[in-house]
Every structure is written in C-alpha cells, then in structure tokens.
Amino acid sequence: MALLILGLLLWSGAHLFKRLAPAQRDAMGDAGKGAVALGVIAGLILMILGYRWAEFVPVWTPPAFMVHLNNLIMLIAVFVFGMSATKGRLRGRMRHPQLTAVKIWAVAHLLVNGDLASILLFGGLLAWAVVEVILINKTSSWDRPQPGEAKRDVVLVIVTLVMFAVITGVHAWLGVWPFPG
C-alpha cells in the first residue's frame, strides 16, 4: 500500500504544483515541464505497481448489479473525456471535461471495488480531480469556445464506442472481465 499512496501523492503533487506554487513553477521555466512530467509518470507507475501488489483487504462487498451500472457510467466517462477534443456542438459545454471524466471514472470504480487498495486509488484520484477543478476555477478564467458542427459530435460518439471497446479489451487482457457472464 505504501507504493500506492506514494504514487498518489506524487501524481497529485506534480499536477497541483503549478496551482499551489506558481512562482516556483514559473522560475523553473521549460525545464519545469520535464520535471512535472517525470513526477506524473513516476506517480502513475507507482500507483499501478502499488495497486497490483497491494494485499486484498475487503472493506465492503459491492452488489453484483453494480457491474452493469459501472459499465454504463464508464461509457459516459469515456464520452465526457472525449468532449475535451471535440470540435462539434458539444465543444465548450463543460469547462473541465477531462477532470470531470476522471471523477466519473473514479465513482464508477468505487461502486464495483470494495477493497482497501481500490478505495485508496479511486478515492484518491477522485479527491485529486475535485481539488484540481477548485484550484483551476479559483486561479484562472475561462473563455467558452464556440460550438462547431453537429456532425463532429457523431464522430465523438463513434470514437467513444471504439475507445470503450479498447478499454474493456485491456481490462480483459489484464484478467478483469468487465461484463458479468
């Protein structure tokens, strides 16, 4: 669990550094981008290894139907994440689509994972995303982009379905079948 917690702290600290210590981050110049990226990557690796190696400590047992709810919520999370790159009508509907998608993803995974490592991982990333949104909203303004063509939203739906299939394939490859049998 120590690696998992260290990874969460490193991930969060690297992401929040710009918002919490803007003068120090600015003083680092372009070299700071590399340092932050290294912190994010190291945090991600530590979270993955820490989660995979963590002892299974049951906290609660999720009901079986939550798997269906998780899959629906995950489809929404992938769609919302994709909104950050869309040039369609949905462009600009949401200020933080990627961070919102992380929050949706985390909640979906908390619904189906009742062990301590999962609660730490998904709960920790949920907390990070909430704090990140609050800090961004306090420290910067937002100019809502103009919406684009509706046909671009159709592309977003197609990309969402493809990415959802890829994500479920990766889960299956890792030994976690996301659909009940």
Side-chain angles (χ1 to χ4, degrees):
M1 297 277 184
L3 282 181
L4 174 58
I5 293 167
L6 181 60
L8 277 166
L9 291 172
L10 192 53
W11 169 276
S12 299
H15 276 95
L16 294 171
F17 180 55
K18 177 180 178 179
R19 307 280 176 221
L20 295 174
Q24 290 84 350
R25 173 57 189 91
D26 289 343
M28 295 172 73
D30 284 341
K33 291 179 184 177
V36 169
L38 186 60
V40 168
I41 292 168
L44 181 62
I45 291 168
L46 290 173
M47 283 189 291
I48 291 168
L49 294 176
Y51 184 73
R52 300 277 296 177
W53 296 342
E55 178 185 347
F56 184 82
V57 179
V59 176
W60 72 289
T61 303
F65 75 88
M66 288 293 196
V67 173
H68 300 293
L69 185 58
N70 171 72
N71 290 335
L72 174 62
I73 294 171
M74 280 306 303
L75 190 58
I76 294 167
V78 173
F79 180 82
V80 170
F81 191 89
M83 285 175 60
S84 67
T86 188
K87 302 286 190 222
R89 301 290 304 161
L90 294 172
R91 180 181 180 178
R93 292 278 184 192
M94 184 181 300
R95 181 169 181 185
H96 308 288
Q98 291 180 348
L99 289 167
T100 301
V102 169
K103 292 186 276 187
I104 295 167
W105 166 85
V107 168
H109 282 76
L110 286 168
L111 291 175
V112 294
N113 293 286
D115 63 290
L116 183 58
S118 294
I119 292 168
L120 287 172
L121 176 62
F122 303 120
L125 289 172
L126 174 60
W128 160 75
V130 168
V131 170
E132 189 80 41
V133 167
I134 291 168
L135 289 174
I136 291 170
N137 288 345
K138 281 186 170 188
T139 60
S140 64
S141 61
W142 183 50
D143 295 323
R144 185 182 301 272
Q146 293 298 315
E149 301 171 288
K151 66 182 178 183
R152 301 271 187 147
D153 293 332
V154 174
V155 173
L156 173 59
V157 170
I158 293 167
V159 169
T160 296
L161 294 172
V162 170
M163 289 308 300
F164 185 76
V166 168
I167 292 166
T168 57
V170 169
H171 276 74
W173 178 69
L174 291 172
V176 181
W177 183 243
F179 302 103

